[in-house]
Amino acid sequence: VQLQASGGGLVQPGGSLRLSCLASGFTLAYFDIAWFRRAPRKEREAVACLSGGENTIYTDSVKGRFTISRDSAKNTAYLQMDSLNSEDTAVYYCAISKYHFCSGPSFSSNAMDYWGEGTLVTVSS
């Protein structure tokens, strides 16, 4: 089981980025998947999750700006991030669990079993 996150970079405030999480060794469509982030000097934070049944949960700070999705044909999950601001600067990680967890109202990193390496997103002018 491997998860490979990519797509981070430097973006100006108000800009957009799309993160990708390529899964290998398993079929991503059968699992709930989540994105987390860790900002400098802060605890890791849950950002969004997507269940196998297409249920989604977003943390309040990203609602209306971020969209989590999945392309089963590519075995890849995405996090589309729009209207980025400096508070979104962080290392972003994708993760899955052996069990379904994305059913509400929230989810925790403690429930994850497999993690991808992070990808750094820097929002700065």
Side-chain angles (χ1 to χ4, degrees), residues 2 119 121:
Q2 284 192 323
T119 184
V121 173

Side-chain angles (χ1 to χ4, degrees), residues 33-54:
I33 186 160
W35 287 94
F36 293 83
R37 67 186 179 185
R38 176 170 283 165
R41 298 175 298 280
K42 291 187 177 180
E43 296 292 321
R44 182 163 51 193
E45 175 188 29
V47 177
C49 69
L50 173 64
S51 74
E54 302 300 313

Side-chain angles (χ1 to χ4, degrees), residues 19 33-39 43-50 56-68 78-82 84 87-95 101-102 105-109 112 115 121:
L19 306 183
I33 186 160
W35 287 94
F36 293 83
R37 67 186 179 185
R38 176 170 283 165
E43 296 292 321
R44 182 163 51 193
E45 175 188 29
V47 177
C49 69
L50 173 64
T56 57
I57 299 173
Y58 296 92
T59 192
D60 286 346
S61 62
V62 308
K63 284 179 181 177
R65 301 188 299 120
F66 289 14
T67 304
I68 188 171
Y78 302 99
L79 185 68
Q80 176 67 40
M81 306 186 296
D82 299 319
L84 286 161
E87 296 295 308
D88 298 315
T89 294
V91 177
Y92 285 72
Y93 303 86
C94 56
F101 62 88
C102 189
S106 62
F107 59 99
S108 168
S109 60
M112 302 302 114
W115 293 83
V121 173

